[in-house]
Amino acid sequence: MKFIWVLVLVVCYNGVCINGVTTNVTTRPPFVNIGALLSFNTTIGKVAKVAIQAAVDDVNSDPSVLGGTKLRLQMQNTNNSGFLGIIESLKFMETDTVAIIGPQSSVTAHVISFVANEVQVPLLSYSSTDPTLSSLQFPYFIMTSRNDLYQMAAIAEIVEYYGWREVIAIYGDDDYGRNGIAALSDKLAERRCKISFKAPLTPTATRQEITDLLVEVALTESRILVVHTFYSWGPVVFSVAQYLGMMGPGYVWIATNWLSTLLETDSLSSDTLDDIQGVLTLRMYTPDSELKRKFISRWSNLTRGTTGYGLNPIGLSTYGLYAYDTVWLLARAINAFLDQGGNISFSSESRLAKLRGGSLHMDAMNIFNGGELLRKNILQVNMTGVTGQLKFNPDGNLINPAYEVINVIGNGIRKIGYWTNYSGLSVVPPETLYSKPPNRSSSSQNLYSVLWPGQTAQKPRGWVFPNNGRHLRIGVPNRVSFRDFVSQVPGTDMFTGYCIDVFTAAISLLPYAVPYKLIPFGDGINNPSGNELVRLITAGVYDAAIGDIAIITNRTRMADFTQPYIESGLVVVAPVKKMNSSAWSFLKPFTLQMWGVTALFFIIVGAVVWILEHRLNDDFRGPPRRQLITILWFSFSTWFFAHRENTISTLGRFVLLIWLFVVLIINSSYTASLTSILTVQQLTSPIKGIDSLISSKDPIGYQQGSFTRDYLVNELGIHKSRLISLKMPEDFAKALKDGPHKGGVAAVVDERAYVELFLSNQCEFSIVGREFTKNGWGFAFPRDSPFAVDLSTAILTLSENGDLQRIHDKWLIRSACSSQGAKLEVDRLDLRSFWGLYLICGIACVLALFIYFLKMMRQFSRHYSSELDSSGRSSTSARLQTFLSFVDEKEQEVKRRSKRRQLEMASNRNESMDNYSSKRRHIESPPYGSPQASNEA
């Protein structure tokens, strides 16, 4: 009975009910219709047609794949036409087609994806790699090869790896070309690179159109050209470039994977190969495997009678491998779909019923009811095919994108490395990198050497000065003051000055000619703003700016600067007056605090040496008055190394040695400072530097047009009301002479280069304090301009060969006024410069005293403890009184008395022993007259 119930449950589970009541019986259909949209007359289409048919045959020959169901494939030829592709795809929608492999073109895929969304038929494309075919907008479009977003990321990393900053993009002007170049622009921007010129070509471009475009490209600055185009006229681009001399040294050509596909599938002529020598291209990476090798070995038999671009036997490309795997991926998804009870059924679209009767028969299009389930199963497939592991990430792209970087050399290609989204550029195969932690550091990025166009192994610079007849527009400040740095020759467009000579000398060292035109900036009445001049470079008004332009933080955010050609930080200029010597000049080298600490240490060291020598040295003994005089005399005489007293104790000599070293340093410093005060003319000013200027409330002058005003307000917090703009050097002198009480200024803050030129003939003023900023002057160029790098190298060359100094001496060296040899009031030596010496000396004194008192306690305990105990004077006061007497007593006397006491004690012990012996003999001897005594007698 139990057996019968088990049988009933099994039968019911499989969808059959007894007593004639039926349930939903799930049976696999004998066939599943799939479609393929190809361009039979293209190389990719020919390869894909063979690969797809081979995959369908392999799937159908293996019953375990679909459980007995077979794939029924229908291919449609789009003839490389977007319009025909749309028409053919709509035909599939009229039949019970569950999925379409294709379309081959990204342009067609954009249109058909809208239809696929409505009828819920998945599109699996192995060749439509447009980055904008995203899974969000087109959920039923599934890219079964590598998204071009990763290919553009690889190109951007190659550009960055070689240190280039600008590229030119040559591309087909359709959705595929524009969107690919847009992705490249984004990836370059992430690395501070950019596309400097876009050169679009129509999909049907003629040779003449290509020639005209490349002539325009040749007149631009960049020499890095990225070709993202069609294989049909891609070779024509290189042929025209060869004709125009653009395949020689200095050029870099990077082609997307259309070129590697052409090299794989067709045997190119020798002329075509000559045109592409030195070109870099990419190829989708597929790891070596047994499945891949078996399929490659079958390829010649599969393509018998099929010819490629040059009427030669067609080769197998990576697109063919992905087309083959696409069929297998679809078969796995269909099998999972059927296993889950998926029903292949279609329903009519109610919105298309209104079109019934029309000549286009749009009402015949049906919706695939199981489309959503099939799409999910496709995205969940995880299999290994001839291209490696096939698995989709959450974004709908295949995992582990990787490309081979290929260099075209001779009659073949040379692999120079790999790119992966995991670790960037490497010469190690991607599957090896996946087993290690990702490493994106610049040191880990590596490629093998490249043979560039023109048969050169030297890396091209990547840019030249554009040979388009256009001059470089260089803005030059039209200064009113300090015209030694830069000035316009009246009535001409010529400029002279220190900055101009540096620029012309540097530009003459460049290995290429630079046509330029100097354009004055400013009205010639007021000094122009350096910030505004740099901003106009960003706005595109000027191509560069030269002159006395300080390199400061906010300007570096707007432009790139060359190597500084002169140092020029901010300094304070103030009126100074001569300082006459006085009767108390000898006290000026040290501050009051320094004098006090020094005197204190003289007394401390004298007292320490007295303590250490008192018990040993007769020179440090005597009446209290004499001992006090000895302490003072000994300590202060060490200043002149004239002390007469000799030190006997080891600890005393140790302390004295340290102290004499300290005295030597202090004495030398004092002598040097006093010599400077008495022999060099001294100048004094109420302003000591920027700190005293900030703390005061006096007005401050600055040069008109300088960045100084912004720095004082924003960085140092000085109120704007205190700042007075000054234009000419004469204005500087007048404002400083008048002073703050007569409408002038207390000091002027300006750059050192201007100040030194100003002070060359103004002797009553001087720089006070230290230079409180560090910057320099440079020439400004647009961000990431390679011209700035080359000019920096030229400036360094000028510095190394001495030309920069000669230009400086020519313009900026003036005869110094008589006070130039004078110095501002010498800074007095304070305790900060010597506290380390005093610390060492103090530690030495404390250490010596500590050791000395330990020694004293040991001697006192040995010589006096027993005496105190025997006499009964064991109180604290008695011990302290005895200890002080012991300390004051000479050590030799203590030792002598101790020795005498020891002798007395020994003598007393001997006498006691003699008395004891005589007494014992007396007791033991018999009395006189006793029998014993008589007998003895």
Side-chain angles (χ1 to χ4, degrees), residues 281-297:
T281 185
L282 299 176
R283 179 171 61 188
M284 289 182 286
Y285 175 73
T286 55
D288 188 31
S289 65
E290 185 65 24
L291 286 174
K292 181 180 176 180
R293 287 193 293 269
K294 286 182 179 180
F295 185 69
I296 293 174
S297 66

Side-chain angles (χ1 to χ4, degrees), residues 253-275:
W253 291 83
I254 303 174
T256 51
N257 63 340
W258 66 266
L259 180 58
S260 62
T261 301
L262 188 64
L263 291 168
E264 288 176 319
T265 55
D266 289 306
S267 298
L268 302 181
S269 64
S270 59
D271 291 339
T272 304
L273 287 173
D274 290 341
D275 293 339

Side-chain angles (χ1 to χ4, degrees), residues 563-575:
Q563 171 80 14
Y565 57 88
I566 187 173
E567 293 184 359
S568 184
L570 292 179
V571 294
V572 178
V573 181

Side-chain angles (χ1 to χ4, degrees), residues 552-585:
I552 57 177
T553 303
N554 65 329
R555 294 176 184 175
T556 57
R557 297 190 182 104
M558 297 185 287
D560 281 351
F561 284 84
T562 61
Q563 171 80 14
Y565 57 88
I566 187 173
E567 293 184 359
S568 184
L570 292 179
V571 294
V572 178
V573 181
V576 293
K577 61 181 180 179
K578 295 180 181 179
M579 184 176 63
N580 298 322
S581 299
S582 67
W584 304 101
S585 296

Side-chain angles (χ1 to χ4, degrees), residues 474-475 498-507 534 537 544-551 559-565 776-782 787-788 791-792 795 798 804:
I474 301 178
Y498 168 71
C499 302
I500 303 300
D501 281 5
V502 172
F503 175 73
T504 54
I507 211 169
V534 175
I537 298 176
I546 66 172
D548 51 341
I549 305 173
I551 304 173
D560 281 351
F561 284 84
T562 61
Q563 171 80 14
Y565 57 88
W777 292 355
F779 305 134
F781 292 88
F787 193 64
L791 207 61
S792 294
I795 291 173
L798 290 176
L804 193 62

Side-chain angles (χ1 to χ4, degrees), residues 16-30:
V16 180
C17 186
I18 304 176
N19 298 326
V21 180
T22 61
T23 62
N24 183 22
V25 180
T26 302
T27 58
R28 285 179 175 263

